Amino acid sequence: QRRMFGRLARAAGVATLAVEYGLVPDHVFPSQLDTMVAAYGWLLDRGTTRVAVTGDSCGATLALGLALRARDEGLPRPTSLLLMSASTDLQATGASYDSGSDPFFTRELVRGLAAGYLAGADPHDPLAAPLHADLRRLPPTYLQAGAEESLLDDSRRLADRLRDAGVDVHLDEFAGQVHTFQMGAGRTQVADDAIGRAGSWLRSTLMS
């Protein structure tokens, strides 16, 4: 991800903080989210007033969880959210698991990864699976997903729920692409295009 987010930072033209969090099995929910919220608080304590929160895959889950925690704990909300190949349903119920061509992210694999992360927690907990959250009063959100990825319905259903909650949301689906295809930035034209679009959107939200 460092390479991808480096290219995104350059495309957006803004100062960037990449947060490293503990990994399963040594760290489980909500440890990773606590780390993200602490990093966000660190920025706020230093007078930062406009923060876009970005993540891919499970990082997108954490970005949404951070925005929910900020809203519910009375912190200033992030300026915007950029979510790439978001994972929002830890039970992997989306029909796109059956229709996509992603060779790796099967329903069984995602449920197994989720079980390790949850470590017994409720898979419907809104901070772990934001598809089940109250999404009102979240910031403008831009989603990107591969049109062939198994988790496509996670982004589609999230976009629908955000729209129903009155959130300014946009979803781009990229034909022929699978999960976190943006990691090919610098090597494929479609990844470069996605990163370019994301950077322009981030810049517009932070500079307006």
Side-chain angles (χ1 to χ4, degrees), residues 5-14 192 195-200 202-203:
F5 282 110
R7 289 184 175 273
L8 179 60
R10 185 164 62 185
V14 297
D192 288 344
I195 292 297
R197 292 192 208 180
S200 294
L202 285 173
R203 188 167 57 251

Side-chain angles (χ1 to χ4, degrees), residues 1-18 54 82 84 185 195-196 198-200 202-203 206-207:
Q1 275 86 354
R2 183 176 297 176
R3 176 187 177 93
M4 177 179 68
F5 282 110
R7 289 184 175 273
L8 179 60
R10 185 164 62 185
V14 297
T16 303
L17 172 68
T54 300
L82 167 63
M84 298 181 284
I195 292 297
S200 294
L202 285 173
R203 188 167 57 251
L206 289 167
M207 302 301 185

Side-chain angles (χ1 to χ4, degrees), residues 60-113:
T61 312
L62 296 176
L64 278 162
L66 187 157
L68 292 167
R69 285 264 302 262
R71 180 198 65 190
D72 295 343
E73 295 175 12
L75 298 173
R77 76 175 190 173
T79 302
S80 55
L81 299 176
L82 167 63
L83 311 175
M84 298 181 284
S85 292
S87 172
T88 64
D89 171 20
L90 298 187
Q91 294 182 304
T93 61
S96 52
Y97 282 93
D98 303 311
S99 59
S101 61
D102 193 320
F104 182 72
F105 284 96
T106 64
R107 183 174 277 116
E108 293 74 20
L109 176 76
V110 170
R111 286 174 177 170
L113 293 172

Side-chain angles (χ1 to χ4, degrees), residues 96-175:
S96 52
Y97 282 93
D98 303 311
S99 59
S101 61
D102 193 320
F104 182 72
F105 284 96
T106 64
R107 183 174 277 116
E108 293 74 20
L109 176 76
V110 170
R111 286 174 177 170
L113 293 172
Y117 172 58
L118 289 167
D122 183 356
H124 294 93
D125 188 310
L127 294 178
L131 190 64
H132 304 292
D134 175 358
L135 301 173
R136 289 174 292 180
R137 295 184 289 114
L138 290 189
T141 302
Y142 175 35
L143 296 100
Q144 290 186 346
E148 290 295 317
E149 70 169 291
S150 301
L151 277 72
L152 174 59
D153 277 354
D154 284 40
S155 289
R156 285 177 169 174
R157 291 189 291 174
L158 176 67
D160 288 342
R161 292 211 56 232
L162 285 166
R163 199 171 291 114
D164 290 343
V167 177
D168 179 5
V169 60
H170 179 74
L171 167 62
D172 273 344
E173 298 179 18
F174 292 78

